[in-house]
Amino acid sequence: MLTTNPFEDDKLREECGIFGVSGAEGAAALVALGLHALQHRGQEAAGITSWDGAHFHSHRAMGHVAGNFDREEVMGALRGQVACGHVRYSTTGETALRNVQPLYAELATGGFAVAHNGNISNAMFLRDDLVARGAIFQSTSDTEVILHLVATSSYRDPLDKFIDALRRVEGAWSLIVMTPQGMIACRDPLGIRPLVMGRLDDAYIFASETVALDVVGADYVRSIEPGELVIVENGKLRSLRPFGETRPRPCIFEWVYFSRPDSIAGDQSVYSVRKAIGAQLAIESPIDADLVIPVPDSGVPAAIGYAQQSGIPFELGIIRSHYVGRTFIQPGDQIRRLGVKLKHNANRALIEGKSIILVDDSIVRGTTSLKIVEMMREAGAREVHMRIASPPTTNSCFYGVDTPEREKLLASRFNVEGMTDFIHADSLAFVSIDGLYKALGEAGRNDMTPRYCDACFTGDYPTRLTDHDAIDQLALHEAAE
C-alpha cells in the first residue's frame, strides 16, 4: 500500500485526541462527532466508552472514526448520558486493538475508563515495578500504567486513589476519566498537552481542541488549567488543584502545526498566530521572489502572513485533490512514483520561469522538503527558496509526539547550509526561537523562564526523562563493555 500524500510522511504527529461528554442524551453520538473534528490528531484507531448509570459499554476499532462509529448497531449499544472517546496515533505501544483507548478496567472501586493524550516519560520504570509486584498488563500502552497505579493505591477514596496515581507519573498527560461516580478531566502540572471545557445546554464537554466543541454546537468555556482536575458528579462541577503551583509549559507546536487552524489554543486563534509567525519570518528572512507558495495544507496561514508582510503575491502553486483516498495498490515503482501526484500536483502554468518562496511549518527528516523542491523544479521554477515557520527541529519529543530518533532529524545532522544542500533549495531559513515567541505575543524567549515547552527546538525539557535517561545509561554501559 502507498500513502498518496507525499507531504504527510515526514511530519511530527500528535499522539491522539480526546473528547468527553457528561450529562447529555445520546452522549456517545456527540463523542463520535467530536472525534471526527479531532481526526487529524490520530488516524490509526478510535474508541468510545459510555456509562448508562449501571453499566459501561465500549467499542474500539482500528482505522478512522468514519466507518467505525457511523453504524446504528455500534452507536445503539453505546448507551448513556456520559461517554468519552479517543483517536490514536501511536507513539508508545504497538499498533494493535489492545492498545486502542479508552482503556477500561474493573477495579475494587468499580469500573474505570481512561482516555489519554500525551506520554508518560517514566512508564517503563513504573511498569517494571508494577509487574515485579504482580501486576498483569493487557496492553503495551503507557496509559495502562495509570490503571494499575490507581488499582494498587493504598488510599480508600476513588478520587484520592487517582490523585495518588498521578503524583507518581512524569511527562505529559491530558486525561478524561469515567467512573461510576462521575467524569474527571485533568492536565499535567505543566499543561504540556491541551484540554478545553465547553457547555452544551446542561452537559459539560471536554476536548483536546475547541474545534471539536464547535462541531457539536457547544460553547467554549475555558481551558482546563495546568495541574487542574475538573470533576463532574450528578451534574455538578468542581475543581481541584492537588499538585501545587507550577509555571506552565504548554507545547508550542500546538500553534505551529498540531491544532487545527480554526481552533483557539491558550485563548489565541491558532490561525492568527500562524499568520503572525509567517509575518515574523518575512521580517527575519526576506528574499526577492515572484511568488509565495504554501505547502498544503499546514503551511497556508504562515504563507499568507509572509506574503502580506513582504508584499510578494500569495499563490497556490501546489494543488491538492480532496477526492483521493489515503492509499491504493502499487503495481510497480513507476506507478508508485506517479501516485504522489494524485493528491498534490504542481501548478505548472503559475510556477514556470518564476522565483518562488515555499512556506512550510517544519522540517523533520528533510525527505518531504526534498520532494517538494524537486516538484517545483520539474514544473519549471527558476529559483526555489524555502522558509520554515518554526525553528530547526533538533531534538526528539518525549511528551506524546511521534518524533524520529535525534540522529534522523535533519537539523541535528546539518547546519542550515548543509540542510539547504540536502533539500536542493536555493536558500533556506527558519523563524528564530525569539521570533516564534514574538508571534505568540511574548517579548521573546527568556532562557530562565520559558513560557512554552519548546524542547524540540532547544533541548530544554521541562520534566525528568526517567525512561530515556535509563536507556541512555544502558547504551553507555554496553558500549563500555
Side-chain angles (χ1 to χ4, degrees):
M1 304 295 283
L2 170 68
T3 298
T4 58
N5 185 350
F7 308 147
E8 288 179 355
D9 62 352
D10 189 25
K11 293 288 187 183
L12 299 180
R13 290 181 172 89
E14 243 284 4
E15 180 181 8
C16 58
I18 58 178
F19 191 91
V21 176
S22 179
E25 292 294 337
L30 291 175
V31 171
L33 287 173
L35 294 181
H36 271 289
L38 299 174
Q39 189 74 83
H40 60 288
R41 299 184 77 91
Q43 300 181 28
E44 287 185 355
I48 296 176
T49 298
S50 69
W51 164 251
D52 64 9
H55 301 96
F56 285 90
H57 310 277
S58 291
H59 184 76
R60 300 181 297 162
M62 305 304 298
H64 289 191
V65 178
N68 285 309
F69 292 94
D70 51 8
R71 292 177 292 159
E72 185 175 344
E73 66 272 19
V74 171
M75 299 309 298
L78 295 170
R79 299 182 296 276
Q81 295 187 359
V82 183
C84 70
H86 186 276
V87 287
R88 181 172 192 262
Y89 182 89
S90 61
T91 63
T92 65
E94 63 185 330
T95 302
L97 190 60
R98 62 177 176 159
N99 288 330
V100 180
Q101 299 183 34
L103 296 184
Y104 176 79
E106 288 284 350
L107 308 183
T109 53
F112 187 96
V114 57
H116 172 208
N117 175 21
N119 197 61
I120 298 172
S121 58
N122 64 335
M124 286 196 314
F125 174 83
L126 293 170
R127 185 186 182 105
D128 288 346
D129 177 63
L130 288 161
V131 169
R133 292 193 283 122
I136 300 173
F137 279 74
Q138 299 297 314
S139 77
T140 57
S141 169
D142 62 328
T143 308
E144 192 178 355
V145 166
I146 296 173
L147 291 172
H148 288 277
L149 291 175
V150 173
T152 57
S153 171
S154 60
Y155 287 84
R156 297 180 62 87
D157 180 77
L159 182 58
D160 290 337
K161 284 177 172 288
F162 181 54
I163 293 171
D164 181 43
L166 294 183
R167 291 187 190 280
R168 296 191 59 191
V169 299
E170 300 170 2
W173 37 267
S174 284
L175 304 171
I176 297 175
V177 169
M178 291 167 51
T179 72
Q181 291 75 38
M183 175 172 281
I184 305 171
C186 58
R187 290 173 78 189
D188 66 79
L190 297 179
I192 297 173
R193 301 260 70 84
L195 192 62
V196 299
M197 178 171 65
R199 288 298 302 270
L200 179 62
D201 298 325
D202 294 329
Y204 289 95
I205 314 286
F206 303 98
S208 292
E209 292 184 38
T210 62
V211 67
L213 303 178
D214 298 338
V215 167
V216 301
D219 294 324
Y220 170 55
V221 176
R222 64 176 177 87
S223 291
I224 305 302
E225 295 298 322
E228 181 185 19
L229 277 70
V230 174
I231 303 150
V232 184
E233 294 176 316
N234 300 318
K236 302 289 181 62
L237 184 143
R238 61 190 174 108
S239 171
L240 297 177
R241 299 174 184 269
F243 306 111
E245 292 295 324
T246 58
R247 185 179 294 275
R249 295 282 297 275
C251 173
I252 203 166
F253 231 96
E254 290 290 341
W255 288 269
V256 173
Y257 174 67
F258 294 144
S259 293
R260 268 181 41 167
D262 45 342
S263 280
I264 303 295
D267 295 325
Q268 295 192 78
S269 160
V270 173
Y271 179 81
S272 296
V273 169
R274 289 179 187 167
K275 281 182 62 180
I277 296 171
Q280 184 66 33
L281 185 56
I283 293 169
E284 294 181 357
S285 302
I287 190 78
D288 186 24
D290 300 312
L291 302 173
V292 174
I293 294 174
V295 176
D297 286 320
S298 56
V300 171
I304 293 173
Y306 193 103
Q308 290 177 348
Q309 178 65 40
S310 66
I312 299 171
F314 169 95
E315 295 286 358
L316 297 179
I318 302 170
I319 304 301
R320 176 178 178 179
S321 169
H322 293 271
Y323 304 100
V324 179
R326 288 175 55 80
T327 60
F328 73 99
I329 300 299
Q330 46 173 334
D333 288 343
Q334 181 181 5
I335 298 300
R336 182 170 62 248
R337 287 193 298 270
L338 294 174
V340 297
K341 295 185 178 180
L342 286 176
K343 199 153 192 176
H344 290 87
N345 193 36
N347 191 348
R348 178 179 290 273
L350 183 72
I351 292 167
E352 193 165 13
K354 300 290 198 322
S355 173
I356 64 171
I357 301 168
L358 290 169
V359 179
D360 203 357
D361 59 88
S362 61
I363 291 181
V364 183
R365 296 177 182 88
T367 53
T368 291
S369 299
L370 175 59
K371 290 177 186 177
I372 298 167
V373 172
E374 288 177 343
M375 180 184 288
M376 296 298 98
R377 294 206 187 280
E378 289 172 2
R382 187 176 78 253
E383 294 178 348
V384 182
H385 304 277
M386 200 97 183
R387 294 295 180 267
I388 307 300
S390 63
T393 304
T394 53
N395 296 272
S396 298
C397 177
F398 300 97
Y399 301 121
V401 178
D402 179 47
T403 315
E405 294 149 357
R406 187 178 181 188
E407 57 268 22
K408 294 181 181 178
L409 294 168
L410 193 68
S412 73
R413 298 166 51 203
F414 300 108
N415 59 18
V416 174
E417 183 179 358
M419 296 173 75
T420 307
D421 292 339
F422 181 91
I423 67 172
H424 299 167
D426 290 288
S427 74
L428 170 67
F430 298 79
V431 73
S432 67
I433 189 68
D434 273 349
L436 182 56
Y437 272 71
K438 288 175 183 177
L440 281 156
E442 305 286 332
R445 187 188 194 275
N446 185 329
D447 289 334
M448 299 300 293
T449 56
R451 170 73 176 79
Y452 300 93
C453 177
D454 53 21
C456 53
F457 308 132
T458 65
D460 177 14
Y461 295 98
T463 74
R464 289 185 297 179
L465 303 174
T466 299
D467 291 346
H468 177 261
D469 292 344
I471 292 170
D472 276 357
Q473 288 298 318
L474 179 61
L476 288 172
H477 178 70
E478 290 176 346
E481 290 183 339

